[in-house]
Amino acid sequence: MRFVRLCLLPGLFGLFLLGNVAFSEDTPAAETAAPAAEAPAAAPVDPRATPKDFNGADTTWMLISSALVLMMTAPGLAMFYCGLVRKKNVLGVMMQCFFLMGLMSVIWALYGYSLAFAPDVLGGFCGGTDYMLLKGVLPTYDFATKVSEVPMAGTIPRSLHMVYQMMFFIITPALICGAYAERMKFSTMVVFTILWGTFIYCPVAHWVWSDQGWLNAFYIAVPGSSVTEAPFPALDFAGGTVVHITSGISALVCALVLGKRLGHGQEPMPPHNLTYTCIGAALLWVGWFGFNGGSALAANPLAVNAFVATHLAAAAGTLAWAGAEWVLRGKPSILGACSGAVAGLVVITPAAGSVSPLSGIVMGVIAGLVCFQACNLKNKFGYDDALDAFGVHGVGGTLGAVLTGVFATAAVIPGKTDPMGLLEGNSKQIVNQVVGAGVSIVIAVVGTLILLKILDSVMGLRVSQQDELQGLDVSQHGEEGYIFL
Amino acid sequence: MRFVRLCLLPGLFGLFLLGNVAFSEDTPAAETAAPAAEAPAAAPVDPRATPKDFNGADTTWMLISSALVLMMTAPGLAMFYCGLVRKKNVLGVMMQCFFLMGLMSVIWALYGYSLAFAPDVLGGFCGGTDYMLLKGVLPTYDFATKVSEVPMAGTIPRSLHMVYQMMFFIITPALICGAYAERMKFSTMVVFTILWGTFIYCPVAHWVWSDQGWLNAFYIAVPGSSVTEAPFPALDFAGGTVVHITSGISALVCALVLGKRLGHGQEPMPPHNLTYTCIGAALLWVGWFGFNGGSALAANPLAVNAFVATHLAAAAGTLAWAGAEWVLRGKPSILGACSGAVAGLVVITPAAGSVSPLSGIVMGVIAGLVCFQACNLKNKFGYDDALDAFGVHGVGGTLGAVLTGVFATAAVIPGKTDPMGLLEGNSKQIVNQVVGAGVSIVIAVVGTLILLKILDSVMGLRVSQQDELQGLDVSQHGEEGYIFL
Amino acid sequence: MRFVRLCLLPGLFGLFLLGNVAFSEDTPAAETAAPAAEAPAAAPVDPRATPKDFNGADTTWMLISSALVLMMTAPGLAMFYCGLVRKKNVLGVMMQCFFLMGLMSVIWALYGYSLAFAPDVLGGFCGGTDYMLLKGVLPTYDFATKVSEVPMAGTIPRSLHMVYQMMFFIITPALICGAYAERMKFSTMVVFTILWGTFIYCPVAHWVWSDQGWLNAFYIAVPGSSVTEAPFPALDFAGGTVVHITSGISALVCALVLGKRLGHGQEPMPPHNLTYTCIGAALLWVGWFGFNGGSALAANPLAVNAFVATHLAAAAGTLAWAGAEWVLRGKPSILGACSGAVAGLVVITPAAGSVSPLSGIVMGVIAGLVCFQACNLKNKFGYDDALDAFGVHGVGGTLGAVLTGVFATAAVIPGKTDPMGLLEGNSKQIVNQVVGAGVSIVIAVVGTLILLKILDSVMGLRVSQQDELQGLDVSQHGEEGYIFL
Amino acid sequence: MKKIEAVIRHYKLEDVKNALTAAGVDGMTVTEVRGFGRQRGHKEMYRGAEYTVDFLPKVKLEIVVPDKMVREAVDTIIRVARTGQIGDGKIFVTDLSEVIRIRTGETGESAL
Amino acid sequence: MKKIEAVIRHYKLEDVKNALTAAGVDGMTVTEVRGFGRQRGHKEMYRGAEYTVDFLPKVKLEIVVPDKMVREAVDTIIRVARTGQIGDGKIFVTDLSEVIRIRTGETGESAL
Amino acid sequence: MKKIEAVIRHYKLEDVKNALTAAGVDGMTVTEVRGFGRQRGHKEMYRGAEYTVDFLPKVKLEIVVPDKMVREAVDTIIRVARTGQIGDGKIFVTDLSEVIRIRTGETGESAL
Ligand SMILES: Nc1ncnc2c1ncn2[C@@H]1O[C@H](COP(=O)(O)OP(=O)(O)O)[C@@H](O)[C@H]1O
Ligand SMILES: Nc1ncnc2c1ncn2[C@@H]1O[C@H](COP(=O)(O)OP(=O)(O)O)[C@@H](O)[C@H]1O
Ligand SMILES: Nc1ncnc2c1ncn2[C@@H]1O[C@H](COP(=O)(O)OP(=O)(O)O)[C@@H](O)[C@H]1O
């Protein structure tokens, strides 16, 4: 009962405030809705059933893609990562992924989507408040005028666009967990991720994907404006910069600032359950079809191309990494095969909608070989990127951004009539790609550094030595992963 | 060879009877099919390729949704539950879920779908025999008239409607396993579930979802009848009453009747593998998109709304439960986060098609807090609801039924022009909701009690003490879950 | 750095060659594309956005189905199989499945798809080189004529057809792993699989599924040719012969040629983790909806029928196998239930698009009982089919091919107006089915035998005795599956 | 100083621990073991294969006590771990020549 | 009464158990262990990291027998568990001061 | 010949192994155990249920050494495995009556 007094009363007050917002959602319709006169003909279609421009196939594909991208975070990434840590931290890693599914979703609905996709404020640094609390995103109905409206984003409801993008907002910070695994304080992780999502992810997503983003190769001109193209129209189909560079580079900063795990370099710290890692990798592969294929935002040939290119890049990455191990170390490992698949998936992410699937094979091979090498960097430079979030996502993402400028082709991009990539003779695109990657790296480094420094002094970044030795499962969450005995 | 004599001969007789039914399926077509004259124009479309009203996008969405809901039972629920028991019962729980995928499917095809969805018999208590053995559900072809027919349910083939609903018939009794886990006799469980599905699930599904169900808010008037609305038009979009209340309340009855597990309260009985529980929770979350989103029975804005509301409720539930633990017990646990997600998913199930996603957040938070508290009830009242099937599904389902009456809004429901929920000023809906929940509770309590009493005297409910101590894996199934040593 | 010199330089040469092919893909367009004059009307549709005949719903369904079939190999089959081996070989089995996802994909893109689906060469033994390197499969754009083209296969892009079929090319050889598990050399497995895919899978796929395949019941006549039907029009909807007979029979040959595992018959070799096997079986079940449902190549009533029949066959198989154990051995086991589900899925594979779902129940029961018995054959005949790849896929696949001839019905097959199966009074179909199964068995036996004999003498089939005792995980891949201690 | 090794049933561990603590035992070490004895094993069936599992899961306690406490500790274990069914387990007692506490280097009874 | 502890290879367990039973041993207790000795470990590689695994999986048997059976039990183990390759394992024999059967309270040889 | 049994903390295993090897110990056998002692357990919460976990994960080493090496081995363990915090563990030393190497049948010190 103490709990009810403690929590429910003050809590419910806030809830009902929110509930009222949810409810009052219906009223703005009056302002925005067209008069009923618009459709005087017999039996006008209820927009709540079939809004204008609505396409069922596109909607189906985007619903599935959203589900697939959620599945990437958990069980996908959660298993991929948690298999790589020691047994005593298995829940710590899973919890980070799972909790972020809750946390980032709510933030995205409250203000994240607005910061990323609403029209420019701050000179284009981020979006404004137009979509705050999902205003203008959710369906509305006005009892007075009997007018209902379902806001659209192309051929799908805007709320579907919102939830699809939400899944990216979840997985991106979850990728960073790989760097600070086995030692970061859970409470600090939560605060860090909120701030990181707000100040790093949302702006970059805005630059790259919002209608007038200054890095958006598919810039949508404001009617009447003389500007019809972004200053640096970078190709980033599904998030090479937005997702992989920002997270991978921030991961490196985290690894450097937090320092090594206790006992690192002395005790062996082998993956405690490679079967999980392999299952996770396979689920990531499957989910990535939604990640890249869904980034077409419709069920069209572009989505098909992205799907095929994605699959072939993953396949080629698998062979390249495992093959490199086989040649150089005598044995192909399953961790190598899985890492190669992920490297291939990362590299094709920005490119999937603008390169041929055959180029996907080439890019996958390059990524497999380069990321294989990049995972040795930490030994040379002595930082502890526990699960190689930088080695795979930072390096692979940057590589992908650049190679997209090499392999992009007009053959797969609807509406393009000019040469696209270097191989088609257009050397300018690669400049845009480098600019896009560069600014993403800069904001990731600077932003993450500032956030970590502040949080370090305010609440501390690492768990106590005692807690780290005991493992995060028991010390942070009061649980054990496996009780087999 | 002994086996062939023992089983195949008598068995095959039955099989060929069934086979003949399958075959003779073609003949009734003659009676029902329209004469070929109907389409005399050039190249009439073969209904087997494209039936009237057929919509490919809706069909795709429902195919996927069916697959997702199956995935919820196994691996989803199977993993969620089996991680929570002790190692020696891990297969026992998995087997219950997996076996029900076989058992309930066949029963549903034989007569379950008919009891639930065929036109009323017994004054509307359940459906009749019109769809028995899938008559009127499957495609037919008449060699004499050359007429083929594909029965439709809206824009999708009726057989797809049948198989989608089948998945609900599987998972609902599987949820009850959480209450009697680690001690129920497998044979009794099988018989109990058949009877429970027949006498409890089918009637409630009929009341709530069949065209003239007396609790169906989307009552479809019989042409010419003066009754155009159900007596108590309750909103139950995806099964708050049909699925969660019936199973959750029956779970409580099971826990009370079967009694506690041996050693309960003395020995510790912690979850043996929380990684499975977390993976299972994540798969449930993903699968629930098919559960709730698919309940729109089409790929339309309603499905999108259900998807978004479902996701946000799960997210909010995660934060609420883990947050409550954090505040009250000092640590957020992964089991708490997972339980909160499920609680959020349960509460939004009846509401997903009639509330705003923002209300989904509010409902998720409430469910997280309330179910968190409800899981302590068993300690107070001393029953052993082993995996909290009542605490989460019974409580969360009832909560969801009621809150749907609070938050329902015309903004998302096509065709509605009147205020829907309490917050829109309609206080009547909540009465309907309470009636719907109430009768579901009553039939669940009474029905389950009667079934258990009968089965207890006929075949016994619990395994022997010896078998329980040894574990269900070895004693019921002759297998061990893990042989790691 | 040594690595860069070693690998990258020579490697990149090959890569850029491939890259150039990817790039020059655009040029052939000039030859094949229709002149722009074809669409002189206002705002002609860009084929890259919406090609002729393109259907979004079909495309969505096939995208998902492709993802589902990939998921069948990993995590599905990988978990199903790896749970059945001993702990020390868990990664060995997973790696075989995962690595094949990389290997077979690339081969299929390079030449496999062409061998299987391009127009006949060698008198119809296999396809020619028309689709080699995905020529004529990928979209093209010609800068000179401004003409773009997206090659189609029915209502979906041909590249989607290619990638969907690719997933079959992955899982088929992966099924064989079940026979040689725990003892085959990884390097030999890789070479064997490449050759097996090339010389056994591609021809059989060509016979059964290519437009003029001599076993294709849906033979597409060459315009102007007098031949309008295949010589032996066998019904093989989703790969009873192409997938299950070829792999299952080859598995038997592998088991016989490789010989038993060390200690087989002396030491107990129980499954080390049946929870994985059950999860894997459930994922296979879910994925099979894409396997069978997707084989309609569109989101139509045929896909729906395949989905429903598949599900009911799996359900019936589950009950039959577990039921047989219950009757004959006193206990139903989870391994039995899972095996029965897979047996049901295998038997319905060739039939899903041509039988009633009720017949699916009958076929599932028969398959459950027959395969249950077939798994005892190895004890009688003394071969070591470690994971029963032959007992389930070989026997179940053959059974399915024959039973398809019994239960096929015009009720579900668009365009058919004649009796189809034995039960409809057509006894000829069963002959075609037997021919189809027969030639598949012959090529599988002969081909696999030749390949194994060659490889045995060239590189050896089995790992050393030492390596086998140590386990494949450490000896072949330098890793351990679980480090729980 | 003696070392008492007791092989007991799994589900008796908690009770035995509590009883021993009540009897004044300060520490113990537990190992997961598999035991073979008179207690009949069970059959496990995996498709075509049937195994008789002779090694049953047990728990082994190791308790080091001063000589004078051996009797009471043994009696406590017997009392609490007994069910009367075959398979209750065994107790083995061994002499120790030395006991040391790592933290302090203390030896003998004060190391316990 | 003696306790024989034998560390052996995993895959020899079944054979050793059968041979000991044939030799008249009534019970034994088995523990999963990891052993380090002359037998060379193996290398494991995980991305950038390479470990040498020195502790190899072994199985430890504990067999309590009357003094007069020690010789035969030890010989049986040596005969069956030997492969001749480094890593076959060791046998350690200790004196027991007492043996008790929990179920009956019997002590000494009759407790076995 | 003595058998040294040392219950130590998990993360000290690698260091102890290296130090013992350096000190001339040729082999050892390691078992995963759970220990109960003065070291306070921790609480675990699972929904409504709260457990105090008293048995903490430890590692048990068994090292057989010639009598003359016992001192050095014990000292090495104490030196390396000590953190000074409660829970560092114990060392128990027992007499062995016989040691045999299975591979060769050698006995006594040469069996090590
Ligand atoms: N001779 C023995 N040496 C070592 N352990 C033994 C011996 N005999 C029995 N045990 C252990 O004691 C356990 C119980 O023994 P068992 O003969 O089954 O029952 P009981 O002790 O009730 O007669 C066995 O599982 C085994 O672990
Ligand atoms: N001094 C020792 N103390 C305890 N156990 C030992 C000792 N030496 C070896 N062992 C155990 O015996 C096993 C085999 O020893 P090893 O030296 O590798 O081979 P071998 O016995 O054939 O010479 C080791 O893995 C270890 O478990
Ligand atoms: N009497 C005992 N018998 C057997 N093992 C013991 C005994 N006392 C302690 N241990 C083992 O030693 C470990 C450490 O003991 P503890 O009392 O917690 O710390 P410390 O040794 O630092 O005083 C325990 O976890 C347990 O495994």
Side-chain angles (χ1 to χ4, degrees), chain A residues 330-352:
Chain A
K331 287 176 186 180
S333 78
I334 198 167
L335 178 55
C338 294
S339 306
V342 175
L345 291 163
V346 168
V347 84
I348 200 69
T349 295

Side-chain angles (χ1 to χ4, degrees), chain A residues 275-298:
Chain A
T275 66
Y276 275 13
T277 297
C278 179
I279 298 165
L283 290 174
L284 284 172
W285 190 330
V286 172
W288 225 293
F289 293 138
F291 198 95
N292 286 3
S295 288
L297 299 176

Side-chain angles (χ1 to χ4, degrees), chain C residues 115-273:
Chain C
L115 290 193
F117 286 96
D120 285 2
V121 295
L122 303 175
F125 180 76
C126 67
T129 59
D130 295 36
Y131 294 149
M132 204 76 100
L133 282 175
L134 303 184
K135 205 168 3 111
V137 174
L138 300 179
T140 54
Y141 183 76
D142 186 296
F143 289 109
T145 61
K146 309 251 177 244
V147 170
S148 63
E149 204 197 339
V150 176
M152 298 292 287
T155 60
I156 60 171
R158 181 160 286 283
S159 61
L160 178 51
H161 181 260
M162 185 275 300
V163 89
Y164 178 66
Q165 293 295 340
M166 185 189 284
M167 305 312 183
F168 286 64
F169 191 60
I170 295 170
I171 197 168
T172 307
L175 291 170
I176 309 178
C177 301
Y180 52 64
E182 308 201 280
R183 58 203 188 282
M184 190 151 182
K185 232 165 127 170
F186 186 71
S187 55
T188 311
M189 197 252 2
V190 169
V191 178
F192 170 71
T193 307
I194 297 173
L195 298 174
W196 190 91
T198 307
F199 294 114
I200 297 174
Y201 185 90
C202 287
V204 178
H206 187 77
W207 305 342
V208 176
W209 287 334
S210 78
D211 289 351
Q212 281 95 36
W214 66 275
L215 290 169
N216 189 348
F218 298 91
Y219 190 91
I220 297 174
V222 182
S225 155
S226 63
V227 185
T228 60
E229 206 190 29
F232 293 93
L235 291 164
D236 184 2
F237 190 64
T241 50
V242 183
V243 175
H244 297 291
I245 293 185
T246 60
S247 64
I249 299 295
S250 297
L252 178 61
V253 176
C254 287
L256 288 167
V257 174
L258 265 84
K260 297 182 184 189
R261 287 167 288 177
L262 285 180
H264 185 255
Q266 283 171 272
E267 284 173 69
M269 297 181 174
H272 90 284
N273 190 345

Side-chain angles (χ1 to χ4, degrees), chain A residues 196-253:
Chain A
W196 189 91
T198 308
F199 294 113
I200 297 174
Y201 185 90
C202 288
V204 178
H206 187 76
W207 305 341
V208 175
W209 287 334
S210 79
D211 290 351
Q212 282 95 36
W214 65 277
L215 290 168
N216 189 347
F218 298 90
Y219 191 91
I220 297 175
V222 182
S225 155
S226 64
V227 184
T228 59
E229 206 190 30
F232 293 94
L235 291 164
D236 184 2
F237 190 66
T241 50
V242 184
V243 175
H244 297 290
I245 293 185
T246 60
S247 66
I249 299 295
S250 297
L252 178 61
V253 176

Side-chain angles (χ1 to χ4, degrees), chain A residues 121-283:
Chain A
V121 295
L122 303 175
F125 180 76
C126 66
T129 60
D130 295 36
Y131 294 148
M132 205 75 102
L133 283 174
L134 302 184
K135 205 170 4 110
V137 174
L138 299 178
T140 56
Y141 182 77
D142 186 294
F143 290 109
T145 61
K146 308 252 179 247
V147 170
S148 62
E149 205 198 337
V150 176
M152 298 291 287
T155 59
I156 61 171
R158 181 160 288 282
S159 61
L160 178 51
H161 182 259
M162 186 276 299
V163 89
Y164 178 66
Q165 293 295 340
M166 185 189 284
M167 305 312 184
F168 286 64
F169 191 60
I170 295 169
I171 197 169
T172 307
L175 292 171
I176 309 178
C177 302
Y180 53 63
E182 307 201 281
R183 57 201 188 283
M184 190 154 185
K185 233 165 125 169
F186 186 72
S187 55
T188 311
M189 196 256 358
V190 169
V191 178
F192 170 71
T193 306
I194 297 173
L195 299 174
W196 189 91
T198 308
F199 294 113
I200 297 174
Y201 185 90
C202 288
V204 178
H206 187 76
W207 305 341
V208 175
W209 287 334
S210 79
D211 290 351
Q212 282 95 36
W214 65 277
L215 290 168
N216 189 347
F218 298 90
Y219 191 91
I220 297 175
V222 182
S225 155
S226 64
V227 184
T228 59
E229 206 190 30
F232 293 94
L235 291 164
D236 184 2
F237 190 66
T241 50
V242 184
V243 175
H244 297 290
I245 293 185
T246 60
S247 66
I249 299 295
S250 297
L252 178 61
V253 176
C254 287
L256 288 166
V257 174
L258 266 85
K260 297 183 184 188
R261 287 166 288 178
L262 285 179
H264 184 254
Q266 284 171 270
E267 284 175 69
M269 298 181 173
H272 90 284
N273 190 346
L274 277 182
T275 66
Y276 275 13
T277 297
C278 179
I279 298 165
L283 290 174

Side-chain angles (χ1 to χ4, degrees), chain A residues 3 22-23 26 46 48-49 51 54 56-57 60 64 101 105 133 141 143 159 166 276 474-475 477 479 481 483-484, chain B residues 64 87 272 274-276 285 299 301 311 328 331-335 358-359 373 409-410 413 415-417 423-424 484:
Chain A
F3 171 70
F23 171 59
D26 315 39
D46 185 339
R48 290 171 297 181
F54 179 82
T60 300
I64 298 299
M101 289 180 17
S105 298
L133 283 174
Y141 182 77
F143 290 109
S159 61
M166 185 189 284
Y276 275 13
V474 167
S475 72
H477 308 296
E479 295 164 306
I483 302 187
F484 280 161
Chain B
I64 298 299
K87 192 185 98 176
H272 90 284
L274 278 182
T275 65
Y276 275 12
W285 190 330
H311 180 70
L328 296 173
K331 287 175 186 179
S333 78
I334 198 167
L335 179 56
L358 283 181
S359 308
Q373 285 303 101
T409 168
I413 318 175
K416 296 289 175 188
T417 53
L423 285 181
E424 283 189 349
F484 280 163

Side-chain angles (χ1 to χ4, degrees), chain B residues 8 46 54-55 84 104 107 110 124 129 143 170 220 291 321 328 340 343 349 352 378 424 450 459 468 471-472:
Chain B
L8 270 179
D46 184 338
F54 179 81
N55 182 300
L84 292 172
M104 304 313 276
I107 290 174
L110 297 184
T129 60
F143 289 109
I170 295 170
I220 296 174
F291 197 95
W321 191 312
L328 296 173
T349 296
K378 61 180 179 182
E424 283 189 349
I450 294 175
M459 51 198 304
E468 188 174 340
L472 301 187

